[in-house]
């Protein structure tokens, strides 16, 4: 219920946390690639229009003022565009290169796992190469890999799936009419979580025949057990997939 309140109350009338995250990416000069499937995912174009994010408060305020007065380029990926979020189908060749970079990490043997220093160096190198790979892809600086930007077909929007099969060396960035990358977050699954709460409450109430106890147990399972487990699992997953040391994740 708190998730539904956040989506339909706080988000609509007070602040949109997802849009604030996109704005933070732009100010921080950080773009984000989220792969939810083998070649399918989401892209947030967060490149700063002023070219850098290493600035003091006065320079940031001045830059935002220039942007407000339309004295600089727009934040979007395309020419003179404000479009920052995309559904993305990456080329198969790009995925092949990604797998080649991460292969030494996913095929670690027992002896290499014991050498923490060696593993850290491999992770740092892989992180750098993956960043360069996707940055070069977005900048269209890869000789044999490219992408196009367009809208989904009406049938693709209705079925919520991609019908067109891109060539092995070409990807597609679909203009995102909303913020579809929230599908990979708990933030975008309020109804699913609410359904889980209701089912759990009904099951506990039916088995115990005590509604108050069932309600307390539902709260305890969700807020104490599942919430802590999810936080731990999400942090570990982000660390493993993004190749970031978990000590840097807050």
């Amino acid at each position: 219920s708190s998730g539904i309140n956040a989506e339909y109350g706080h988000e609509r009338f007070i602040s949109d946390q997802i849009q604030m995250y996109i704005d933070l990416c732009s100010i921080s000069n950080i773009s984000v690639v989220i792969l939810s499937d083998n070649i399918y995912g989401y892209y947030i174009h967060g490149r700063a229009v002023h070219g850098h994010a290493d600035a003091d408060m006065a320079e940031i305020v001045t830059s935002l003022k220039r942007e407000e007065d339309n004295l600089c380029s727009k934040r979007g990926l395309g020419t003179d565009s404000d479009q920052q979020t995309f559904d993305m189908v990456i080329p198969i060749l790009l995925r092949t290169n990604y797998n080649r970079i991460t292969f030494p990490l996913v095929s670690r043997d027992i002896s290499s796992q014991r050498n923490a220093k060696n593993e850290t160096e491999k992770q740092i190198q892989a992180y750098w190469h993956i960043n360069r790979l996707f940055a070069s892809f977005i900048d269209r600086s890869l000789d044999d890999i490219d992408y196009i930007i367009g809208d989904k077909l009406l049938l693709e929007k209705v079925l919520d799936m991609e019908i067109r099969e891109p060539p092995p060396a070409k990807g597609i960035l679909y203009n995102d009419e909303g913020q579809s990358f929230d599908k990979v977050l708990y933030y975008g699954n309020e109804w699913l979580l609410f359904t889980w709460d209701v089912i759990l409450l009904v099951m506990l109430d039916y088995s115990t025949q005590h509604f108050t106890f069932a309600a307390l147990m539902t709260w305890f399972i969700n807020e104490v057990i599942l919430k802590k487990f999810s936080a731990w699992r999400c942090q570990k997953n982000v660390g493993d997939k993004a190749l970031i040391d978990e000590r840097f994740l807050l």
Side-chain angles (χ1 to χ4, degrees):
S1 60
S2 60
I4 295 176
N5 177 64
E7 180 178 6
Y8 295 102
H10 188 277
E11 178 180 308
R12 291 176 180 269
F13 301 106
I14 301 178
S15 65
D16 186 345
Q17 299 295 323
I18 297 295
Q19 183 59 50
M20 289 174 65
Y21 175 74
I22 298 173
D23 294 337
L24 177 63
C25 289
S26 296
I27 295 175
S28 304
N29 198 27
I30 295 175
S31 295
V32 181
V33 172
I34 305 170
L35 292 179
S36 58
D37 206 339
N38 190 41
I39 61 172
Y40 180 81
Y42 308 93
Y43 175 62
I44 304 172
H45 187 66
R47 183 167 297 174
V49 295
H50 306 285
H52 65 281
D54 186 13
D56 55 25
M57 184 62 67
E59 187 175 351
I60 292 176
V61 172
T62 301
S63 298
L64 292 176
K65 179 61 177 175
R66 285 176 52 83
E67 188 175 357
E68 182 181 353
D69 296 336
N70 294 320
L71 299 177
C72 58
S73 60
K74 296 185 177 182
R75 292 184 178 184
L77 176 59
T79 304
D80 196 30
S81 171
D82 289 319
Q83 187 67 43
Q84 290 184 262
T85 57
F86 303 86
D87 288 26
M88 179 172 63
V89 179
I90 66 173
I92 296 177
L93 288 179
L94 184 67
R95 181 69 199 201
T96 301
N97 289 332
Y98 173 86
N99 292 340
R100 177 179 52 81
I101 294 172
T102 58
F103 180 77
L105 298 178
V106 299
S107 60
R108 295 176 290 188
D109 54 25
I110 298 177
S111 60
S112 64
Q113 289 183 9
R114 293 175 179 174
N115 191 341
K117 182 179 179 180
N118 184 46
E119 287 303 308
T120 301
E121 291 177 353
K122 286 183 179 180
Q123 183 172 328
I124 293 174
Q125 292 177 3
Y127 175 84
W128 187 86
H129 285 296
I130 289 176
N131 270 275
R132 293 309 311 155
L133 175 67
F134 281 101
S136 299
F137 171 65
I138 296 299
D139 290 338
R140 302 180 189 269
S141 58
L142 298 175
D143 295 333
D144 53 347
I145 299 177
D146 197 5
Y147 64 90
I148 59 175
I149 301 176
D151 296 318
K152 286 187 177 182
L153 302 174
L154 177 60
L155 186 59
E156 290 177 323
K157 294 179 180 179
V158 172
L159 298 178
D160 192 22
M161 62 180 295
E162 290 67 45
I163 299 176
R164 291 169 288 180
E165 186 73 23
K170 181 157 298 214
I172 304 177
L173 268 62
Y174 297 102
N175 292 315
D176 184 8
E177 297 179 354
Q179 299 159 348
S180 58
F181 69 90
D182 66 2
K183 294 178 182 177
V184 302
L185 307 173
Y186 284 132
Y187 197 90
N189 293 279
E190 286 81 9
W191 281 109
L192 181 62
L193 296 174
F194 177 72
T195 303
W196 155 257
D197 289 341
V198 172
I199 292 175
L200 180 61
L201 176 62
V202 171
M203 290 179 59
L204 290 174
D205 183 40
Y206 178 78
S207 60
T208 62
Q209 297 297 312
H210 196 298
F211 181 79
T212 302
F213 177 77
L216 290 174
M217 284 300 299
T218 300
W219 175 86
F220 178 80
I221 292 173
N222 283 322
E223 295 296 324
V224 179
I225 300 178
L226 293 182
K227 192 172 184 178
K228 289 186 177 181
F229 174 78
S230 297
W232 169 80
R233 188 67 187 89
C234 289
Q235 186 176 32
K236 180 173 177 56
N237 182 60
V238 171
D240 292 341
K241 299 294 177 60
L243 302 179
I244 299 175
D245 194 311
E246 293 183 29
R247 292 172 293 182
F248 295 101
L249 299 175
L250 302 177

